[in-house]
Amino acid sequence: MSEVKILLVEDDLVDRMAFQRHVEREGLPYRCRFAESLADANELLASEPFDLIVLDHNLSDGMGFELLPRVGETPVIFVTGSENPENAVRAMKSGANDYLLKDQDRNYLKLLPVAVERALRQRTDREQLRELQELFRKSFNEAPIGKAFISPSGQFLRVNHALCDIFATSEQELLERGCQLLFGMDASPDCMASLFPMLSSAAKSTRMDMRCRVPRGHEIWIQLDMALAADSRGQSMTYIAQIMDVTAQRRAEEVRASLEAQLRKAQKMEALGSLAGGVAHEFNNMLGAIIGYTELTKMELGGNAELCANLDQVLQASARAKEIVQQILTFSRRQDLKRDLLQPSAVVQEAAKLIHLNVPKNVVIHVETASDTPPIFGNSTQIQQALMNVCNNAAHAMGERGGVIVIKHKIMMVGEEAATRLSLSKGPYSIIAVTDNGHGMDAATLERVFEPFFTTKGPGKGSGLGMAVVHGIMKAHDGAVTVQSELNKGTTVQLYFPVRPAGGADMDVREAPLIPSGRGQHVLFVDDEPALVQIGCKLLQHLGYKVTPFSSGVPALAAFRENPRNFSLVLTDLTMPGMTGIDLADELLKVRSDIPIIMATGFVEDSVREQAGLLGFREILLKPLTAQVLAKSIHRVLTAPAGAK
């Protein structure tokens, strides 16, 4: 044991001397100071610290009890000559660590080392406990997540700062209303047991996400971890709650789920569009044969009226089939779309005239437009077709009772959230909204509203292509269509058209742009289709370029390696046997890192398109290539600043 500095408060000189002799005789590691009275003791305590105090019961100026409140954390061994146990009890209650009973032979001094060691150990234990308590207090209060101790009745016993921040309220209010805020119920004797019956011992815990309403009125989502703690005897139970605000994560998950649903829907529509477009083109060829041979047969039959009447029925059915094919092609966006600068309000007014003629008389059309809105770039016929399809559906939803269709035109800014949701660019949009007071749609019907051939109409009353065509028209206009509907509350369809920027030069889509030509630059042309190689060479030469063609990547790479500076640009197909366009580009760039490469393909995956620059391609062109597209792409790449990708 290291040296212990002791203050002996004793008014009896003999006892003081006996204490000092005992310390010296036993070689105890004590350095002693003496006080004869309470006044001397107070003076010494004010001037220097002590490790321990040995305090006599009766002093010349008072009782030893009077000094105990002034010693602070210093351990005290109380010494008394009275055999009355009440003195010892009073001393311990007043803060003494131990007590010794004086006797005439002063044998109590033999017990002194044990009492001193025990008192010092108790002080050390108290200090460590205090440090642990302070550490716990800080870790509890300053923890970055919400924490609370809750009684079995649901009363909040202690809360930390983070929990106050989560609920945007004070500690006092949480202690008063915590159970009501968190669980939506008042405290009661069996509150926690009824809420968390699965918690039956300190080893059990549970986690859940729950929605809470904070005092400011809005709702938040929290992640709640709840555990049950009991004292060392299963007599006192405390519930320990750990709470995190996961509102942002929940909203992010909801947005992600929404985007995933939109992506699945878009992929589904794209797949249906591709299938429908391919079928439509083939069907058109078959219809051509059916119509042609039918008309030829009519001419050969001459005046056979009965047979000609039968063939007329075939022609009428073929004409109807042709209309459906045209709608399918519109849905799949495989038809050329000529667009001009249009005033949306004028298009709406023209469409309204046609709609009046095609809907029942008991349907009222109400149009609200403004004449001073900016123009859009579109095809008036197809926009009118889209409005006709939407209004026909609206009229059908009203049934025999009729109703009102309101067509409104407005300008609205589309922000980032809406742009992401609708797969649009941010900015101003011209919106044509069609609202009806028909019977509306349930969620299942709304989910399939754009599917081709899906219809709620009876047999022979609809092809199921109306809204699919609207979807295709809006995509072709770089816009979007949304449908909001609720059973027995009507439907609103909104058509989003990007607004043409003010001050931009007017675009005349009917005027053929100039085709840029080359000045003898050398193009390495690679494609495995002989016919495409032949036409590609002729076209490039006609545009003023020198061409070296190859039908596969391996010989093209060999020629490039022989004289890499001889070539100005490489134009390669993507899918080729032996060496793909991606592999060829990789090898070419190893030989000459600055060689411009353009990839041409009939189909390109999004991953390849997004990584085109990393794969070494300056541009990606979709086949079949027109002279204008090819010329502009090569000119753009060759005239780009050095280092441009």
Side-chain angles (χ1 to χ4, degrees):
M1 181 187 295
S2 59
E3 186 179 70
V4 180
K5 188 176 179 181
I6 296 178
L7 172 63
L8 174 63
V9 185
E10 173 64 69
D11 61 353
D12 188 292
L13 176 61
V14 177
D15 281 339
R16 292 201 303 272
M17 293 176 64
F19 187 93
Q20 181 66 34
R21 283 198 301 271
H22 180 78
V23 169
E24 292 172 354
R25 185 170 59 248
E26 297 296 326
L28 298 174
Y30 303 158
R31 182 160 59 91
C32 301
R33 296 291 302 274
F34 301 99
E36 299 179 15
S37 64
L38 291 175
D40 291 343
N42 281 321
E43 185 176 344
L44 284 171
L45 286 172
S47 62
E48 56 184 303
F50 292 90
D51 297 318
L52 182 136
I53 300 172
V54 179
L55 178 62
D56 189 25
H57 178 198
N58 291 311
L59 297 168
S60 60
D61 58 349
M63 305 294 291
F65 297 115
E66 299 175 33
L67 188 66
L68 288 173
R70 305 170 191 170
V71 301
E73 298 294 327
T74 306
V76 176
I77 298 176
F78 197 76
V79 179
T80 177
S82 171
E83 295 185 2
N84 185 352
E86 292 182 1
N87 291 329
V89 172
R90 181 181 176 187
M92 299 298 285
K93 286 184 176 180
S94 299
N97 293 75
D98 207 343
Y99 74 93
L100 296 175
L101 187 64
K102 285 184 179 181
D103 60 272
Q104 288 184 347
D105 298 327
R106 296 181 176 84
N107 289 321
Y108 76 93
L109 292 175
K110 297 178 182 178
L111 301 175
L112 184 64
V114 175
V116 169
E117 183 179 357
R118 182 164 54 233
L120 292 176
R121 186 169 60 248
Q122 289 175 353
R123 183 187 67 176
T124 302
D125 291 344
R126 284 198 304 271
E127 290 175 349
Q128 291 178 345
L129 178 61
R130 191 161 51 250
E131 290 175 358
L132 289 174
Q133 289 173 334
E134 179 63 17
L135 179 62
F136 167 78
R137 186 190 67 79
K138 288 184 177 179
S139 64
F140 180 85
N141 287 335
E142 306 304 327
I145 57 178
K147 290 177 179 285
F149 290 123
I150 308 173
S151 71
S153 65
Q155 180 68 40
F156 275 39
L157 305 174
R158 187 169 186 170
V159 297
N160 70 345
H161 301 321
L163 193 63
C164 295
D165 292 339
I166 289 173
F167 284 94
T169 189
S170 65
E171 179 181 353
Q172 183 63 31
E173 185 169 14
L174 273 180
L175 293 176
E176 292 175 357
R177 298 185 55 216
C179 188
Q180 202 280 332
L181 286 174
L182 192 58
F183 307 121
M185 59 188 297
D186 295 328
S188 62
D190 60 347
C191 172
M192 298 302 287
S194 63
L195 285 170
F196 302 98
M198 72 292 293
L199 298 179
S200 58
S201 71
K204 296 289 184 67
S205 62
T206 186
R207 169 177 288 184
M208 64 183 68
D209 282 4
M210 58 191 303
R211 190 161 42 196
C212 301
R213 184 172 294 278
V214 301
R216 288 183 300 184
H218 66 274
E219 286 187 338
I220 62 171
W221 277 95
I222 63 168
Q223 183 184 86
L224 172 66
D225 289 285
M226 186 71 74
L228 181 62
D231 65 12
S232 59
R233 296 172 294 180
Q235 293 183 359
S236 177
M237 293 286 188
T238 301
Y239 290 82
I240 304 173
Q242 182 168 284
I243 298 170
M244 292 179 62
D245 185 350
V246 294
T247 306
Q249 294 92 313
R250 290 288 296 222
R251 288 175 180 167
E253 289 172 5
E254 290 171 358
V255 170
R256 183 180 65 184
S258 175
L259 291 176
E260 287 176 351
Q262 292 177 47
L263 177 61
R264 288 193 296 270
K265 191 172 183 179
Q267 290 172 335
K268 179 179 178 181
M269 297 300 291
E270 191 69 27
L272 285 170
S274 298
L275 174 63
V279 170
H281 278 296
E282 292 298 323
F283 196 44
N284 253 342
N285 294 333
M286 290 185 284
L287 275 177
I290 292 171
I291 293 171
Y293 280 111
T294 301
E295 290 179 335
L296 179 62
T297 302
K298 272 190 68 177
M299 289 186 286
E300 291 179 350
L301 284 173
N304 192 327
E306 184 177 353
L307 291 178
C308 286
N310 291 340
L311 293 176
D312 284 338
Q313 293 299 316
V314 175
L315 289 173
Q316 288 180 18
S318 298
R320 175 60 181 150
K322 184 177 179 180
E323 291 177 3
I324 293 176
V325 169
Q326 294 303 310
Q327 290 185 336
I328 294 174
L329 288 173
T330 300
F331 163 72
S332 64
R333 290 176 282 151
R334 295 200 174 191
Q335 282 188 321
D336 291 335
L337 181 66
K338 289 186 176 182
R339 291 191 283 175
D340 295 292
L341 283 178
L342 303 173
Q343 180 54 248
S345 57
V347 177
V348 170
Q349 294 291 350
E350 286 297 318
K353 296 176 183 177
L354 298 174
I355 294 168
H356 273 293
L357 298 175
N358 285 273
V359 298
K361 299 297 183 183
N362 58 356
V363 174
V364 177
I365 308 295
H366 183 63
V367 180
E368 299 178 15
T369 61
S371 59
D372 57 348
T373 55
I376 62 173
F377 194 52
N379 183 288
S380 60
T381 301
Q382 291 213 339
I383 295 174
Q384 289 177 5
Q385 177 68 57
L387 287 172
M388 284 286 295
N389 290 3
V390 172
C391 290
N392 284 339
N393 284 346
H396 177 265
M398 295 171 184
E400 295 181 357
R401 65 180 178 85
V404 179
I405 297 176
V406 179
I407 306 175
K408 289 185 178 181
H409 174 238
K410 60 184 178 180
I411 302 296
M412 189 176 77
M413 291 295 297
V414 171
E416 187 161 350
E417 186 277 331
T420 301
R421 177 167 47 84
L422 299 174
S423 299
L424 296 174
S425 301
K426 293 189 296 183
Y429 281 80
S430 188
I431 298 176
I432 302 174
V434 180
T435 301
D436 68 69
N437 59 351
H439 55 64
M441 291 177 275
D442 58 23
T445 303
L446 192 61
E447 181 68 22
R448 303 183 62 187
V449 71
F450 295 119
E451 285 187 19
F453 310 114
F454 172 75
T455 180
T456 58
K457 300 174 183 177
K461 294 185 178 180
S463 64
L465 286 168
M467 292 305 294
V469 168
V470 173
H471 180 274
I473 289 173
M474 296 313 299
K475 285 297 181 183
H477 280 79
D478 303 316
V481 53
T482 63
V483 182
Q484 285 128 7
S485 186
E486 195 173 341
L487 276 178
N488 303 317
K489 292 188 177 180
T491 301
T492 296
V493 179
Q494 295 195 113
L495 310 179
Y496 288 72
F497 297 91
V499 170
R500 182 158 178 78
D506 289 344
M507 181 183 297
D508 187 353
V509 296
R510 293 164 295 185
E511 182 178 324
L514 295 175
I515 298 179
S517 59
R519 299 190 302 275
Q521 295 98 324
H522 196 170
V523 177
L524 180 64
F525 187 88
V526 190
D527 199 299
D528 63 327
E529 279 290 334
L532 293 181
V533 172
Q534 184 177 9
I535 188 62
C537 286
K538 290 181 179 180
L539 185 57
L540 288 170
Q541 288 168 352
H542 180 76
L543 291 171
Y545 297 100
K546 179 182 176 182
V547 186
T548 299
F550 289 95
S551 58
S552 68
V554 176
L557 178 60
F560 186 82
R561 282 173 173 164
E562 287 182 6
N563 193 357
R565 292 291 168 186
N566 187 39
F567 297 97
S568 305
L569 179 138
V570 177
L571 178 63
T572 178
D573 188 22
L574 172 61
T575 307
M576 298 183 293
M579 177 178 280
T580 67
I582 293 176
D583 295 332
L584 176 60
D586 188 49
E587 294 299 324
L588 292 172
L589 291 170
K590 289 178 183 177
V591 178
R592 181 180 156 195
S593 62
D594 65 337
I595 183 67
I597 305 174
I598 298 175
M599 179 176 73
T601 179
F603 172 77
V604 61
E605 295 182 357
D606 289 341
S607 58
V608 175
R609 186 187 297 277
E610 292 168 0
Q611 302 293 323
L614 295 177
L615 294 172
F617 299 107
R618 301 289 180 88
E619 291 195 7
I620 297 179
L621 304 180
L622 290 178
K623 296 179 178 179
L625 301 178
T626 65
Q628 182 184 119
V629 169
L630 183 60
K632 291 178 71 173
S633 177
I634 293 176
H635 178 76
R636 190 162 48 241
V637 169
L638 290 177
T639 57
K645 296 293 185 182

